[in-house]
Amino acid sequence: MNFPDRPLEAAGAEAYVLYSSSDDPDMRYLTGFETGDPVFYIKKKGRKGTLVVPQMEAERAVSESHCDVVTRGDAGFFDYLKEEKDPAKATAKMVAALAGGDILVPRTFPLYLAREMERLCKINIDKGTVSGMRAVKTPDEADFIRHSQKITEDAISFAVSLIKSASAKTGELEINETPLTSDYLRNEIHCYLLKRGLLARDTIVSCGPETSMPHCKGSGVLVENEPIMIDLFPQDTKTGYYADMTRTFVRGEPDGEIKNMFSVVREAKVLGKSMIREGVSGSAVHNAVVSHFEGSGYKTGTEGFIHSLGHGVGMAVHEEPSLSPSGKELLAGNVVTVEPGLYYRSTGGIRLEDMGLVLKEGFDCFTKYKDELII
């Protein structure tokens, strides 16, 4: 991928400058290069993007990235450092020389460096060009996400098998006389994913009252007859693309209200997916689900449905576009989640989440895992 010339021309800038590690999805997207240390990506009008890296990373950058590569030494950094003594000032001079004029930077550009750069050129702030590019996936990118999602579904099946195989002692689940806790199950899921090339962080395994808090990670022993919410969003370590999926289960017999909530949330998910196609706004889909919940007797506000219906997924687990009150028109090639939920402190929570590709005339759902409450 290459940063386009049009935003540069609109800003009257000579180059786009990004400084970050590949933990920044924009950097990985534009360069295809993985690095734990921040490096510069500089894209001048009419030219290919350039990576500026330490000498030790030069050969690897040439091999792995789809950019031109120059070392800091060849870019004059060490000569500037002899003049300035201050690394920030030397870095600013190096970047200014490579850019050849005013620059365009993302909102995340480091302030300390921006202040040094402003002594040498004008800085313009980009309004999300790269995030907009990332929002529309190529067929290859969609396949990368499908792959991540398939392994994630397998991990959910693995987690369910552990819950099913657990014995119950006074309602608490245990495996081989060891309590089956949220932490235990989360770690087992993470190991399962890592063996298959996916890295998971902050996985939600919550139970009972914890499920009323949408992003509670969960702690303590899992119990029978209460909702168990599992939300997985791992990243493929090779491609960088995420999956995202949530299911809610009960080992045993849930009460009638949990059953009814599950049914209404499942209906909301079907409704949301049925509306998705190019040209439909994310807000229209979100608002339709709100109306469905309210018509089913579930108010929204401080309890009930208290978050957006969905979001984009790619090299970040949360990216454009959104299915929210402010969601804009969807484009073919967007990959979005549909994740309705209901949350009540007195009852618990239910969330079901699928993910798929926006098409011109519909929605290609990547998630094939069934909706089942009782396991």
Side-chain angles (χ1 to χ4, degrees), residues 212 299-306 343-345:
S212 69
K299 299 287 186 179
T300 59
T302 58
E303 290 191 298
F305 183 43
I306 54 177
Y343 313 90
Y344 296 95
R345 286 181 287 277

Side-chain angles (χ1 to χ4, degrees), residues 282-305:
S283 61
V285 185
H286 173 89
N287 292 336
V289 167
V290 170
S291 296
H292 167 75
F293 280 135
E294 292 181 343
S296 301
Y298 292 98
K299 299 287 186 179
T300 59
T302 58
E303 290 191 298
F305 183 43

